[in-house]
Amino acid sequence: MSQPAPDGTPSHPAAPDPRDSVRTRGYLIVLLVAAVIGVPVSAAAYGFLALVHELQDLVFHDLPRGLGFHGTPVWWPVPALALSGALVALTLRLLPGTGGHEPADGMSTKGVSALSDLPGIVIAAIASLALGVVLGPEAPLIALGGGLALGAVRLTGRDLPGQATRVVSAAGSFAAVSTLLGSPLLGAFLLMEASGLGGTMLGVVLVPGLLAAGIGALIFTGLGSWTGLGTYSLALHHVPSARTPDAGQFGWALVIGLGAALAGAGVRWLALTIRPHVARRRLPLSVLAGLAVAGLTVAYAQGTGHGISDVLYSGQNALDPLLEHRAGYTVGALVLLLVCKALAYGVSLSAFRGGPIFPAMFVGAVGGTALSHAGGLPVTAGFAMGIGAMCVAMLGLPMTSVLLATLLLGRPGLTVMPLVIVAVVVSYVVSTRLRLRQEAASPLQQTASHN
């Protein structure tokens, strides 16, 4: 029983310090479980990424040639994306769960996927990503890693306390995305911000996740070397050097931050406007959404002469070629790519399954590259600021957005980091205000697809 304070007011027992759990035997067990689980989970994640990559090559390269075409016809995305819409709709209708996290809701890791939901998550994601939908693999991987980790523990017959269960699930997610963003640390920051972890408890939960991520990175590297397929890790190899930021470039940071916030609001509005209609008539409107993405792809390819892969897919593998071949893109081609990719991104968010990160990065990169033609803005600075500002506009994760835009570029990224921070802050403030206004104007729109 607590004793009264000297002034006569009742005192309350001190709250337990979360760090005390580090000294317990249970915490060591959780660390061991995280280390062990990191191996199969990261191997499963690697297999998922390899399967998606191979299916993309099969659908868009091998199959057209096998049918007698000399290359991939510009109309080829039409049947592929129509099929994607049908497969995703049927998966959501016939299999348990909702096919995983809805990408139009942004980036969230709250909640753990049940084992029974994982087949639907994997199939919906593969049907989306392998057939060219403009989404990334990170959200399905997070759900897959967390669900597999928790399922593996439960299959052993061991019961873990509630907090330990959440830590093990988070560790599985860490392992699954360990090198997808180019570094285990970037994956850690993403999950840390997206999960809302903070305070003293952050370090306690983060350590098992980092351990699993480190082991996952080793597994990804080993499997990449052994299979010859690579690590599927985000990397840039053609980044131009950057000069010290000046006042003019800080002015561009304000412009890019504001522009990205407005563009992000437009993409979200499109996705949230379409999504309730798709939820009510899942099969026909999912097919129609796939046809819309295909139409945008064909329009861009016909209008610019560039390949359909610029608009298709998540954009992860197109960032480096965009830098390498930037001289081959006119301002008009970049603007058309920006418009078509952003519209395809919004439509994909409304009807398909995947992650929102990589398309946001690519849209921002294209916008920054296009603005660099206006003068006074080096391409590396515009590229980095566009990525950071668009990511925070779509994800609402400022720290992750800054790190994605700077660490990805290596030494030049560190040079332009002050510019990226300004662009991210401006975009974050403006996009948050726009998001709150949008939610206040149509509060039912955000949940209509779940009713």
Side-chain angles (χ1 to χ4, degrees):
M1 183 175 180
S2 60
Q3 297 296 323
D7 61 1
T9 59
S11 63
H12 299 281
D17 188 341
R19 292 173 295 182
D20 290 340
S21 61
V22 177
R23 296 184 293 181
T24 65
R25 179 173 177 269
Y27 188 74
L28 296 178
I29 293 176
V30 169
L31 282 176
L32 178 61
V33 170
V36 172
I37 284 178
V39 175
V41 167
S42 55
Y46 183 90
F48 173 84
L49 292 172
L51 178 60
V52 168
H53 178 75
E54 293 301 314
L55 287 175
Q56 287 176 346
D57 280 347
L58 174 65
V59 171
F60 288 96
H61 296 97
D62 298 342
L63 186 57
R65 287 162 177 77
L67 293 175
F69 296 102
H70 295 294
T72 304
V74 70
W75 51 261
W76 191 260
V78 175
L81 285 158
L83 176 62
S84 175
L87 291 176
V88 171
L90 291 173
T91 299
L92 300 189
R93 177 181 295 179
L94 300 176
L95 293 181
T98 60
H101 170 69
E102 295 207 29
D105 291 332
M107 197 68 215
S108 175
T109 63
K110 296 179 175 65
V112 180
S113 300
L115 271 179
S116 59
D117 293 343
L118 294 186
I121 291 173
V122 171
I123 293 173
I126 290 175
S128 298
L129 305 179
L131 293 172
V133 168
V134 186
L135 293 171
E138 66 281 358
L141 282 179
I142 289 170
L144 179 65
L148 285 177
L150 194 55
V153 172
R154 288 175 176 169
L155 287 176
T156 65
R158 298 180 64 90
D159 291 326
L160 294 176
Q163 183 62 39
T165 297
R166 290 189 291 272
V167 171
V168 169
S169 175
S173 296
F174 273 63
V177 297
S178 57
T179 61
L180 182 65
L181 301 176
S183 165
L185 283 178
L186 273 174
F189 272 104
L190 167 68
L191 290 167
M192 177 181 69
E193 281 197 292
S195 65
L197 295 172
T200 310
M201 198 65 202
L202 173 61
V204 176
V205 177
L206 194 58
V207 169
L210 285 173
L211 177 61
I215 292 173
L218 291 175
I219 298 298
F220 266 62
T221 301
L223 287 174
S225 175
W226 179 56
T227 62
L229 297 175
T231 61
Y232 304 105
S233 177
L234 182 62
L236 298 180
H237 306 287
H238 300 90
V239 181
S241 59
R243 68 171 187 258
T244 303
D246 55 29
Q249 292 179 47
F250 276 102
W252 275 114
L254 300 178
V255 172
I256 291 175
L258 177 60
L262 295 175
V267 171
R268 283 198 312 275
W269 175 85
L270 178 62
L272 294 175
T273 299
I274 297 174
R275 186 174 70 173
H277 301 288
V278 173
R280 286 193 292 269
R281 302 184 63 193
R282 177 70 67 181
L283 182 57
L285 291 186
S286 293
V287 173
L288 186 60
L291 291 174
V293 174
L296 290 164
T297 303
V298 173
Y300 166 77
Q302 292 284 68
T304 65
H306 289 285
I308 58 175
S309 60
D310 285 356
V311 177
L312 294 178
Y313 317 129
S314 68
Q316 173 187 356
N317 295 325
L319 286 168
D320 202 39
L322 176 65
L323 277 176
E324 183 182 7
H325 304 297
R326 62 189 182 278
Y329 288 84
T330 65
V331 175
L334 289 171
V335 171
L336 186 59
L337 175 56
L338 175 66
V339 172
C340 290
K341 189 77 172 187
L343 290 174
Y345 180 25
V347 173
S348 298
L349 288 170
S350 70
F352 297 93
R353 291 297 183 265
I357 295 178
F358 292 120
M361 293 178 67
F362 187 77
V363 169
V366 172
T369 303
L371 289 174
S372 70
H373 287 267
L377 177 65
V379 64
T380 301
F383 188 90
M385 286 191 286
I387 289 176
M390 194 65 192
C391 279
V392 80
M394 294 304 300
L395 308 177
L397 307 177
M399 180 66 75
T400 300
S401 299
V402 170
L403 292 176
L404 274 172
T406 54
L407 296 186
L408 176 64
L409 275 64
R411 185 179 294 275
L414 298 178
T415 301
V416 301
M417 181 179 282
L419 299 171
V420 173
I421 291 173
V422 173
V424 166
V425 169
V426 171
S427 180
Y428 177 74
V429 172
V430 175
S431 62
T432 299
R433 292 172 67 90
L434 292 174
R435 190 189 300 262
L436 292 174
R437 180 179 298 180
Q438 184 182 49
E439 292 173 356
S442 54
L444 296 179
Q445 188 181 46
Q446 308 297 320
T447 57
S449 66
H450 301 291
N451 295 333

